[in-house]
Amino acid sequence: SAPEATLREVYANYLQTEGKTKARATLRKQDSMWDNHIEPKFGDRTVNSITIVELNDFLFDAYQKYSYMYVEGFLKFFYLLFGHADRMEVIDPMRYNRMFVSSGTRLTMPKKTQEDHQSDLEGATVYNADELAKIEKVFNTDSGNLLTAFYLGLYCGLRISECFALRWRNVDFI
């Protein structure tokens, strides 16, 4: 069986290893979530004693107080923490699989409220073909790299940072 480790020990190990490669802003956000929300509730608990029901309840309760996007940050942080626990080999592999891998049982976000679905659409802007043609002209420079990023955003839904992070190894022509 896996050695016992608290979630606090997992987070401390993450900060000493994988955390060293993260951006300062990312670490600040993670530290804030840890200090203000996760550590007080789960820090002293062993990773093998924390249940999926407790994590789902935590996300549900958080969604009663905070925005959906903010609560998604908690979900991602739980995946990061327990994924790190798995790499440390301090969580039972079957438990980890059930809680974070298996599509029928893994940790997921609470169901989005109708109000949040509606507010997602409120800030959206839809451009017609003429407006898109004008925008396209702005990006059509001699180098062409801005136009490529524009097309990737328009047709693939990529963010600008994702466009410029692409490498040839990411392209599969098959």
Side-chain angles (χ1 to χ4, degrees):
S1 78
E4 290 293 313
T6 64
L7 199 57
R8 182 180 294 109
E9 291 167 330
V10 170
Y11 186 54
N13 184 276
Y14 161 77
L15 290 174
Q16 290 301 310
T17 56
E18 296 172 32
K20 291 196 180 293
T21 65
K22 303 295 180 190
R24 191 173 324 160
T26 300
L27 291 172
R28 237 190 337 265
K29 179 182 178 187
Q30 290 170 347
D31 278 340
S32 175
M33 285 191 292
W34 175 259
D35 292 340
N36 297 310
H37 303 283
I38 296 175
E39 195 270 342
K41 184 141 181 93
F42 299 110
D44 291 332
R45 302 273 305 279
T46 63
V47 291
N48 285 303
S49 73
I50 300 169
T51 68
I52 188 80
V53 171
E54 290 176 297
L55 296 180
N56 274 318
D57 287 349
F58 178 90
L59 294 176
F60 180 82
D61 292 344
Y63 189 35
Q64 305 309 303
K65 298 179 230 166
Y66 307 112
S67 74
Y68 194 82
M69 281 183 54
Y70 188 69
V71 176
E72 275 183 319
F74 290 126
L75 175 74
K76 292 173 186 174
F77 197 43
F78 283 133
Y79 270 84
L80 178 140
L81 290 169
F82 283 86
H84 190 74
D86 185 52
R87 289 185 291 283
M88 288 174 65
E89 298 180 355
V90 296
I91 187 170
D92 176 68
M94 287 178 59
R95 169 184 283 275
Y96 176 75
N97 190 59
R98 205 170 41 252
M99 290 175 66
F100 295 97
V101 179
S102 213
S103 64
T105 58
R106 71 177 173 226
L107 184 64
T108 57
M109 281 294 291
K111 189 170 171 43
K112 207 176 222 188
T113 63
Q114 188 62 38
E115 296 83 41
D116 282 342
H117 277 298
Q118 199 60 39
S119 70
D120 288 348
L121 301 174
E122 286 172 6
T125 303
V126 178
Y127 296 103
N128 64 36
D130 290 337
E131 292 168 325
L132 284 172
K134 288 178 185 175
I135 295 169
E136 183 178 5
K137 284 181 185 174
V138 172
F139 291 105
N140 196 358
T141 63
D142 290 338
S143 69
N145 66 341
L146 295 178
L147 187 60
T148 302
F150 171 74
Y151 286 147
L152 287 168
L154 179 65
Y155 295 112
C156 301
L158 270 66
R159 297 179 184 97
I160 192 75
S161 61
E162 294 169 327
C163 293
F164 287 105
L166 283 174
R167 300 292 174 254
W168 281 111
R169 66 178 175 271
N170 303 124
V171 179
D172 183 0
F173 289 104
I174 297 175

